[in-house]
Amino acid sequence: MRLTLMHLLSRVGLCVLPFLVVPVVSPPLAHAEGAFVQQATGSYRQFLPGVAVPLNVPASMSAPSWAPKAAPTRSMPETAVPATGGNFASTLEIGNFNRVTQAQIGSGNISNVGIIKGYANNVGVLQAGSHLKSNLALINTAGLSVGVIQPNGSAPVNMLIARLPNGALLIKR
């Protein structure tokens, strides 16, 4: 195959041409701000707690129209304000195919369920009253179905159910 010098220069010229044209039609370059934040001046005594301080932002500091906009953030269920009644139910599941259902009717109820190293366990907690407490822990269990029903005025339920290394089932109340 024969390549002439003219043939190679014409190919190189076609490759260089876009780089010569791009700066002419490219948009203006963006300018970055400094890496340091301006320090506050004056006395901090002028800012009282609970009093809003107006923030004056110069027009040159505003974001350009092409900048990405911050989406409004929604609160997560864990950080949301609790519903009226002050009930609290928490679940810790470490394992596979476990199901936990907790229902609370009344006010001031607290329920904690923990399944650690469990497989295919079913747990249901029903608290119908006020100021009821239950704590249930299943450790190394498989295929258990446990139900806790607490009517109004019942004693707190604290229960540990664990499968021991020898295969025995420990139920500590």
Side-chain angles (χ1 to χ4, degrees), residues 95-99 115 118-123 138 141-145:
N96 296 318
F97 306 111
N98 297 305
R99 284 174 284 204
I115 300 175
Y119 179 80
N121 294 300
N122 298 310
V123 177
L138 276 66
T141 57
L144 289 182
S145 293

Side-chain angles (χ1 to χ4, degrees), residues 112 132-136 148-150 154-159 173:
N112 298 306
L132 300 172
K133 295 180 182 176
S134 67
N135 297 304
L136 180 64
V148 176
I149 300 173
Q150 284 186 291
S154 63
V157 174
N158 295 311
M159 185 175 291
R173 213 183 116 124

Side-chain angles (χ1 to χ4, degrees), residues 73-139:
T73 57
R74 296 186 332 204
S75 63
M76 299 303 292
E78 295 86 11
T79 61
V81 176
T84 57
N87 294 327
F88 178 78
S90 68
T91 302
L92 170 67
E93 293 181 60
I94 302 173
N96 296 318
F97 306 111
N98 297 305
R99 284 174 284 204
V100 176
T101 302
Q102 298 185 52
Q104 296 173 324
I105 301 168
S107 63
N109 298 322
I110 298 172
S111 175
N112 298 306
V113 175
I115 300 175
I116 299 172
K117 198 177 174 188
Y119 179 80
N121 294 300
N122 298 310
V123 177
V125 177
L126 172 61
Q127 293 177 322
S130 297
H131 305 292
L132 300 172
K133 295 180 182 176
S134 67
N135 297 304
L136 180 64
L138 276 66
I139 299 174

Side-chain angles (χ1 to χ4, degrees), residues 50-71:
V51 177
V53 178
L55 180 62
N56 297 327
V57 178
S60 65
M61 299 276 298
S62 63
S65 61
W66 52 266
K69 305 292 187 270

